[in-house]
PDB file of all heavy atoms in Angstrom:
ATOM      1  N   ILE B 410      -2.188  85.302 -28.351  1.00 97.00           N
ATOM      2  CA  ILE B 410      -2.101  84.459 -29.549  1.00 97.00           C
ATOM      3  C   ILE B 410      -3.455  83.807 -29.753  1.00 97.00           C
ATOM      4  O   ILE B 410      -3.997  83.145 -28.869  1.00 97.00           O
ATOM      5  CB  ILE B 410      -0.956  83.419 -29.449  1.00 97.00           C
ATOM      6  CG1 ILE B 410      -0.922  82.534 -30.691  1.00 97.00           C
ATOM      7  CG2 ILE B 410      -1.041  82.576 -28.184  1.00 97.00           C
ATOM      8  CD1 ILE B 410       0.347  81.699 -30.814  1.00 97.00           C
ATOM      9  N   SER B 411      -3.987  84.049 -30.931  1.00 95.00           N
ATOM     10  CA  SER B 411      -5.358  83.636 -31.185  1.00 95.00           C
ATOM     11  C   SER B 411      -5.416  82.612 -32.312  1.00 95.00           C
ATOM     12  O   SER B 411      -4.488  82.492 -33.108  1.00 95.00           O
ATOM     13  CB  SER B 411      -6.186  84.869 -31.540  1.00 95.00           C
ATOM     14  OG  SER B 411      -7.507  84.503 -31.800  1.00 95.00           O
ATOM     15  N   SER B 412      -6.499  81.873 -32.343  1.00 89.00           N
ATOM     16  CA  SER B 412      -6.667  80.876 -33.394  1.00 89.00           C
ATOM     17  C   SER B 412      -7.233  81.530 -34.640  1.00 89.00           C
ATOM     18  O   SER B 412      -7.188  82.742 -34.790  1.00 89.00           O
ATOM     19  CB  SER B 412      -7.568  79.758 -32.903  1.00 89.00           C
ATOM     20  OG  SER B 412      -8.802  80.302 -32.502  1.00 89.00           O
ATOM     21  N   ARG B 413      -7.822  80.750 -35.487  1.00 82.00           N
ATOM     22  CA  ARG B 413      -8.090  81.320 -36.800  1.00 82.00           C
ATOM     23  C   ARG B 413      -9.241  82.328 -36.845  1.00 82.00           C
ATOM     24  O   ARG B 413      -9.364  83.065 -37.811  1.00 82.00           O
ATOM     25  CB  ARG B 413      -8.259  80.214 -37.840  1.00 82.00           C
ATOM     26  CG  ARG B 413      -9.543  79.433 -37.776  1.00 82.00           C
ATOM     27  CD  ARG B 413      -9.562  78.363 -38.870  1.00 82.00           C
ATOM     28  NE  ARG B 413     -10.916  77.895 -39.100  1.00 82.00           N
ATOM     29  CZ  ARG B 413     -11.552  78.017 -40.249  1.00 82.00           C
ATOM     30  NH1 ARG B 413     -10.966  78.579 -41.264  1.00 82.00           N
ATOM     31  NH2 ARG B 413     -12.790  77.582 -40.381  1.00 82.00           N
ATOM     32  N   GLU B 414     -10.036  82.359 -35.808  1.00 81.00           N
ATOM     33  CA  GLU B 414     -11.135  83.325 -35.762  1.00 81.00           C
ATOM     34  C   GLU B 414     -11.995  83.334 -37.009  1.00 81.00           C
ATOM     35  O   GLU B 414     -12.300  84.372 -37.582  1.00 81.00           O
ATOM     36  CB  GLU B 414     -10.601  84.757 -35.531  1.00 81.00           C
ATOM     37  CG  GLU B 414      -9.978  84.928 -34.163  1.00 81.00           C
ATOM     38  CD  GLU B 414      -9.535  86.369 -33.891  1.00 81.00           C
ATOM     39  OE1 GLU B 414      -9.918  87.252 -34.655  1.00 81.00           O
ATOM     40  OE2 GLU B 414      -8.821  86.575 -32.897  1.00 81.00           O
ATOM     41  N   SER B 415     -12.352  82.153 -37.412  1.00 82.00           N
ATOM     42  CA  SER B 415     -13.233  82.085 -38.574  1.00 82.00           C
ATOM     43  C   SER B 415     -14.621  82.505 -38.124  1.00 82.00           C
ATOM     44  O   SER B 415     -14.873  82.767 -36.953  1.00 82.00           O
ATOM     45  CB  SER B 415     -13.293  80.657 -39.087  1.00 82.00           C
ATOM     46  OG  SER B 415     -13.977  79.853 -38.153  1.00 82.00           O
ATOM     47  N   GLN B 418     -15.943  80.815 -35.210  1.00 86.00           N
ATOM     48  CA  GLN B 418     -15.272  80.946 -33.933  1.00 86.00           C
ATOM     49  C   GLN B 418     -15.451  82.333 -33.354  1.00 86.00           C
ATOM     50  O   GLN B 418     -14.488  83.030 -33.060  1.00 86.00           O
ATOM     51  CB  GLN B 418     -13.794  80.584 -34.079  1.00 86.00           C
ATOM     52  CG  GLN B 418     -13.624  79.092 -34.352  1.00 86.00           C
ATOM     53  CD  GLN B 418     -12.228  78.731 -34.744  1.00 86.00           C
ATOM     54  OE1 GLN B 418     -11.684  79.293 -35.693  1.00 86.00           O
ATOM     55  NE2 GLN B 418     -11.622  77.813 -34.024  1.00 86.00           N
ATOM     56  N   TRP B 420     -16.294  83.018 -30.554  1.00 91.00           N
ATOM     57  CA  TRP B 420     -15.744  83.050 -29.195  1.00 91.00           C
ATOM     58  C   TRP B 420     -14.285  83.479 -29.204  1.00 91.00           C
ATOM     59  O   TRP B 420     -13.839  84.187 -28.309  1.00 91.00           O
ATOM     60  CB  TRP B 420     -15.902  81.703 -28.507  1.00 91.00           C
ATOM     61  CG  TRP B 420     -15.428  80.534 -29.331  1.00 91.00           C
ATOM     62  CD1 TRP B 420     -16.203  79.762 -30.136  1.00 91.00           C
ATOM     63  CD2 TRP B 420     -14.095  80.055 -29.445  1.00 91.00           C
ATOM     64  NE1 TRP B 420     -15.428  78.809 -30.743  1.00 91.00           N
ATOM     65  CE2 TRP B 420     -14.136  78.966 -30.342  1.00 91.00           C
ATOM     66  CE3 TRP B 420     -12.869  80.414 -28.900  1.00 91.00           C
ATOM     67  CZ2 TRP B 420     -12.990  78.239 -30.698  1.00 91.00           C
ATOM     68  CZ3 TRP B 420     -11.734  79.693 -29.256  1.00 91.00           C
ATOM     69  CH2 TRP B 420     -11.801  78.622 -30.144  1.00 91.00           C
ATOM     70  N   ALA B 421     -13.531  83.051 -30.225  1.00 91.00           N
ATOM     71  CA  ALA B 421     -12.108  83.403 -30.277  1.00 91.00           C
ATOM     72  C   ALA B 421     -11.973  84.913 -30.431  1.00 91.00           C
ATOM     73  O   ALA B 421     -11.173  85.569 -29.762  1.00 91.00           O
ATOM     74  CB  ALA B 421     -11.426  82.683 -31.435  1.00 91.00           C
ATOM     75  N   TRP B 443      -1.367  88.146 -32.092  1.00 96.00           N
ATOM     76  CA  TRP B 443      -0.944  87.369 -33.261  1.00 96.00           C
ATOM     77  C   TRP B 443      -2.027  86.333 -33.561  1.00 96.00           C
ATOM     78  O   TRP B 443      -2.709  85.872 -32.643  1.00 96.00           O
ATOM     79  CB  TRP B 443       0.367  86.633 -32.951  1.00 96.00           C
ATOM     80  CG  TRP B 443       1.605  87.457 -33.130  1.00 96.00           C
ATOM     81  CD1 TRP B 443       2.482  87.393 -34.179  1.00 96.00           C
ATOM     82  CD2 TRP B 443       2.130  88.453 -32.237  1.00 96.00           C
ATOM     83  NE1 TRP B 443       3.522  88.281 -33.987  1.00 96.00           N
ATOM     84  CE2 TRP B 443       3.324  88.947 -32.811  1.00 96.00           C
ATOM     85  CE3 TRP B 443       1.715  88.993 -31.012  1.00 96.00           C
ATOM     86  CZ2 TRP B 443       4.103  89.927 -32.208  1.00 96.00           C
ATOM     87  CZ3 TRP B 443       2.475  89.974 -30.405  1.00 96.00           C
ATOM     88  CH2 TRP B 443       3.660  90.436 -31.006  1.00 96.00           C
ATOM     89  N   ARG B 444      -2.121  85.951 -34.816  1.00 94.00           N
ATOM     90  CA  ARG B 444      -3.136  84.948 -35.155  1.00 94.00           C
ATOM     91  C   ARG B 444      -2.584  83.837 -36.030  1.00 94.00           C
ATOM     92  O   ARG B 444      -1.735  84.084 -36.880  1.00 94.00           O
ATOM     93  CB  ARG B 444      -4.294  85.616 -35.889  1.00 94.00           C
ATOM     94  CG  ARG B 444      -5.389  86.038 -34.943  1.00 94.00           C
ATOM     95  CD  ARG B 444      -6.253  87.057 -35.574  1.00 94.00           C
ATOM     96  NE  ARG B 444      -6.987  86.498 -36.694  1.00 94.00           N
ATOM     97  CZ  ARG B 444      -7.828  87.211 -37.432  1.00 94.00           C
ATOM     98  NH1 ARG B 444      -8.024  88.490 -37.148  1.00 94.00           N
ATOM     99  NH2 ARG B 444      -8.460  86.658 -38.421  1.00 94.00           N
ATOM    100  N   LEU B 445      -3.086  82.667 -35.830  1.00 93.00           N
ATOM    101  CA  LEU B 445      -2.683  81.544 -36.686  1.00 93.00           C
ATOM    102  C   LEU B 445      -3.306  81.723 -38.077  1.00 93.00           C
ATOM    103  O   LEU B 445      -4.210  82.527 -38.265  1.00 93.00           O
ATOM    104  CB  LEU B 445      -3.168  80.208 -36.116  1.00 93.00           C
ATOM    105  CG  LEU B 445      -2.798  79.846 -34.683  1.00 93.00           C
ATOM    106  CD1 LEU B 445      -2.782  78.328 -34.535  1.00 93.00           C
ATOM    107  CD2 LEU B 445      -1.457  80.400 -34.282  1.00 93.00           C
ATOM    108  N   ASN B 446      -2.814  80.928 -39.004  1.00 90.00           N
ATOM    109  CA  ASN B 446      -3.381  80.977 -40.356  1.00 90.00           C
ATOM    110  C   ASN B 446      -4.753  80.280 -40.394  1.00 90.00           C
ATOM    111  O   ASN B 446      -5.209  79.715 -39.403  1.00 90.00           O
ATOM    112  CB  ASN B 446      -2.417  80.341 -41.368  1.00 90.00           C
ATOM    113  CG  ASN B 446      -2.174  78.858 -41.058  1.00 90.00           C
ATOM    114  OD1 ASN B 446      -2.836  78.274 -40.221  1.00 90.00           O
ATOM    115  ND2 ASN B 446      -1.212  78.274 -41.737  1.00 90.00           N
ATOM    116  N   VAL B 472      -5.534  82.038 -26.586  1.00 96.00           N
ATOM    117  CA  VAL B 472      -6.979  81.991 -26.678  1.00 96.00           C
ATOM    118  C   VAL B 472      -7.524  80.575 -26.448  1.00 96.00           C
ATOM    119  O   VAL B 472      -8.703  80.365 -26.159  1.00 96.00           O
ATOM    120  CB  VAL B 472      -7.363  82.610 -28.037  1.00 96.00           C
ATOM    121  CG1 VAL B 472      -8.350  81.789 -28.796  1.00 96.00           C
ATOM    122  CG2 VAL B 472      -7.832  84.029 -27.829  1.00 96.00           C
ATOM    123  N   THR B 473      -6.608  79.623 -26.513  1.00 94.00           N
ATOM    124  CA  THR B 473      -6.935  78.214 -26.315  1.00 94.00           C
ATOM    125  C   THR B 473      -5.698  77.492 -25.788  1.00 94.00           C
ATOM    126  O   THR B 473      -4.580  77.884 -26.089  1.00 94.00           O
ATOM    127  CB  THR B 473      -7.343  77.613 -27.680  1.00 94.00           C
ATOM    128  OG1 THR B 473      -8.753  77.686 -27.821  1.00 94.00           O
ATOM    129  CG2 THR B 473      -6.905  76.194 -27.842  1.00 94.00           C
ATOM    130  N   GLU B 476      -3.063  76.675 -28.454  1.00 96.00           N
ATOM    131  CA  GLU B 476      -2.073  77.697 -28.785  1.00 96.00           C
ATOM    132  C   GLU B 476      -1.045  77.839 -27.660  1.00 96.00           C
ATOM    133  O   GLU B 476       0.130  78.093 -27.901  1.00 96.00           O
ATOM    134  CB  GLU B 476      -2.732  79.049 -29.049  1.00 96.00           C
ATOM    135  CG  GLU B 476      -3.398  79.152 -30.422  1.00 96.00           C
ATOM    136  CD  GLU B 476      -4.752  78.469 -30.436  1.00 96.00           C
ATOM    137  OE1 GLU B 476      -5.477  78.543 -29.425  1.00 96.00           O
ATOM    138  OE2 GLU B 476      -5.087  77.814 -31.447  1.00 96.00           O
TER     139      GLU B 476
END
Side-chain angles (χ1 to χ4, degrees):
Chain B
I410 178 167
S411 180
S412 57
R413 73 180 198 118
E414 293 184 12
S415 69
Q418 291 170 305
W420 50 266
W443 277 257
R444 267 161 66 180
L445 306 206
N446 62 9
V472 133
T473 266
E476 283 79 37

